[in-house]
Amino acid sequence: MPDIEIDAIITNLENFIQQKEDLKKSHPLKYLFWESTLRCNLSCLHCGSDCVRDSSTEPDEIEAETIKRELKSISEKYDPRSITFAIIGGEPLVRPDIINVGAYAAELRYNWGITTNAMLLNEEKIKELKVAGLNTISVSLDGLEEEHNKLRNHSSSYNVVINNLKLLLDDRFYSKMDVICCVSKVNINKLDLLINKLIDLRVPALRFVPIFSHGRASEHPELTLDGDDYLKLFKLIAHYRESQKDITINLGEEGYWGPQWECVIRDRFHYCSAGISVGSILYNGDVMGCPSSSRNFIEGNIKGTSFLDLWETKFHRYRQGKKELFNSVCKDCQHWELCEGGGFHVLDQDNSPLEQCSMRKIKAIW
């Protein structure tokens, strides 16, 4: 590689590192998750949230008016047009007031979206989402029929999702839509078939998200990918990103995989922005960075302090003290400035950072 290209790469990486430091200081809110419920109409084997099919958690859910109050408060401090308000679960559509909250967010000029297993979608529900100004929708699909139904623990879920995907694709009222596929030992060898199925359906974008040992997934270690599986996944993504223009494929935010793979398997370099530009309000009002992280990282609760006050005065470990949390494993790693531990989700109370280090998984470092 010519010296001029190497110099350009080094300069870009140095700028990227500086930009991350600047973001930690300014911490502009760009993405707000609302974990609207832990209730779900499925009981997936790989669920990272350990959702429930009964109503046991419903009494603890914050009311729609409470989240609206927070949205209003945030909109007075930040430009809501620059913030994505993402409603997740559980399955958000089990709550009948979800669309009302979304419509209010749209009225305030937020970009709002949902992540759904699509089981509760139908023509009427899609029309309601359209009227409510939905901007983005992500649909979970974990392979073809056999693999998806096994992981979703439901014998007919695949056909329901495919039918509802077709309804969504026939009326593209939203500005962005993608499919999220949780990758595991169950489907790792058939992902190319899934890609081609989605191309046939005219799905515009696909995110592969490897499962990690969190929530109910921790009870099924046989699903977790090993190093060879990860490399197989990366090669598949790289191949289709280079050769296929009908669908955009990315690796979801899962960790730092080193200079060989970063920007080859997704559009931009890995960066965990939890607590820096990403904040979350959980089903019970607790506030944290990324909802995939351990619940040991709660910063407060909106029942006592507004999200905005917590965002401005808390989150120190995300912005200043992150390396201390990873110190035992990462303190001497040459990749720290780019990796920063890979992401807060690896700091799970049941797993050490050593076991979750992305680079060690693929034997890029020892």
Side-chain angles (χ1 to χ4, degrees):
M1 182 179 295
D3 289 344
I4 190 170
E5 291 187 29
I6 294 174
D7 290 343
I9 292 171
I10 292 173
T11 298
N12 287 337
L13 290 177
E14 289 175 342
N15 290 339
F16 173 66
I17 292 169
Q18 185 58 52
Q19 288 168 6
K20 291 199 299 180
E21 293 305 309
D22 292 343
L23 281 172
K24 289 175 186 176
K25 295 175 184 177
S26 60
H27 50 268
L29 183 65
K30 295 295 183 183
Y31 217 98
L32 177 64
F33 285 102
W34 177 34
E35 179 193 66
S36 56
T37 182
L38 285 184
R39 290 177 287 148
C40 189
N41 53 337
L42 293 176
S43 182
C44 303
L45 300 181
H46 57 309
C47 179
S49 301
D50 204 9
C51 300
V52 296
R53 294 195 66 175
D54 56 36
S55 59
S56 60
T57 59
E58 185 175 3
D60 296 323
E61 294 173 3
I62 57 173
E63 296 180 353
E65 293 307 312
T66 302
I67 194 69
K68 287 181 180 181
R69 179 196 70 202
E70 298 300 319
L71 289 171
K72 178 64 174 175
S73 173
I74 294 168
S75 73
E76 293 169 353
K77 168 71 175 180
Y78 292 96
D79 181 357
R81 294 171 297 180
S82 68
I83 300 173
T84 296
F85 174 54
I87 304 179
I88 61 172
E91 169 50 49
L93 292 177
V94 303
R95 281 190 63 155
D97 54 2
I98 285 299
I99 295 178
N100 178 265
V101 172
Y104 182 74
E107 181 182 327
L108 293 174
R109 303 178 76 182
Y110 286 90
N111 297 303
W112 81 278
I114 62 169
T115 298
T116 176
N117 61 33
M119 296 293 288
L120 298 177
L121 288 177
N122 51 43
E123 291 184 355
E124 180 180 357
K125 189 67 66 176
I126 290 172
K127 181 178 179 180
E128 291 175 1
L129 291 168
K130 181 178 181 178
V131 171
L134 181 77
N135 294 107
T136 66
I137 184 166
S138 296
V139 173
S140 299
L141 181 65
D142 296 330
L144 298 182
E145 185 168 8
E146 180 181 356
E147 294 75 38
H148 178 85
N149 288 346
K150 178 176 181 178
L151 288 167
R152 295 283 157 176
N153 209 14
H154 191 289
S155 61
S156 60
S157 59
Y158 175 82
N159 288 329
V160 174
V161 173
I162 292 297
N163 288 336
N164 289 329
L165 264 178
K166 291 177 180 177
L167 291 177
L168 285 169
L169 292 164
D170 284 341
D171 186 357
R172 300 191 180 195
F173 58 89
Y174 42 81
S175 59
K176 184 179 179 182
M177 180 266 191
D178 68 352
V179 163
I180 300 174
C181 175
C182 293
V183 185
S184 70
K185 285 281 191 181
V186 171
N187 58 19
I188 183 64
N189 292 317
K190 295 186 178 181
L191 296 179
D192 55 337
L193 299 176
L194 174 64
I195 291 171
N196 285 288
K197 174 67 175 180
L198 295 180
I199 291 172
D200 289 342
L201 290 172
R202 297 174 289 107
V203 171
L206 168 64
R207 269 184 290 161
F208 285 123
V209 180
I211 67 167
F212 61 97
S213 186
H214 197 284
R216 195 177 302 128
S218 63
E219 301 172 10
H220 297 280
E222 73 280 1
L223 300 178
T224 306
L225 302 181
D226 59 32
D228 290 338
D229 294 325
Y230 276 102
L231 291 174
K232 182 183 298 183
L233 175 62
F234 297 165
K235 291 174 183 177
L236 179 79
I237 295 174
H239 167 72
Y240 277 98
R241 281 174 62 86
E242 183 177 0
S243 63
Q244 179 54 250
K245 305 305 179 186
D246 292 328
I247 189 170
T248 301
I249 301 178
N250 278 287
L251 182 74
E253 190 58 61
E254 210 276 341
Y256 170 79
W257 298 99
Q260 180 182 356
W261 294 112
E262 292 296 327
C263 296
V264 174
I265 52 178
R266 49 188 162 210
D267 292 340
R268 59 186 63 85
F269 220 77
H270 159 78
Y271 176 48
C272 178
S273 51
I276 298 169
S277 57
V278 174
S280 301
I281 299 173
L282 305 186
Y283 77 104
N284 61 354
D286 284 341
V287 171
M288 61 189 302
C290 172
S292 295
S293 300
S294 166
R295 301 302 157 104
N296 287 337
F297 296 117
I298 302 297
E299 298 294 322
N301 191 290
I302 60 172
K303 295 174 184 176
T305 308
S306 72
F307 174 87
L308 200 56
D309 285 344
L310 292 170
W311 185 255
E312 296 296 338
T313 62
K314 299 288 187 177
F315 291 89
H316 302 299
R317 53 191 156 195
Y318 295 88
R319 300 165 188 170
Q320 288 92 32
K322 190 173 182 181
K323 193 168 186 179
E324 296 176 7
L325 297 171
F326 291 87
N327 192 44
S328 62
V329 175
C330 304
K331 64 177 181 178
D332 297 321
C333 181
Q334 62 180 327
H335 295 275
W336 172 261
E337 289 187 315
L338 293 173
C339 174
E340 293 191 339
F344 261 85
H345 72 279
V346 304
L347 286 172
D348 188 275
Q349 57 267 39
D350 298 322
N351 300 282
S352 73
L354 177 63
E355 293 170 333
Q356 293 295 324
C357 174
S358 300
M359 298 288 281
R360 282 187 170 88
K361 285 179 182 177
I362 60 173
K363 296 183 173 57
I365 59 174
W366 300 87

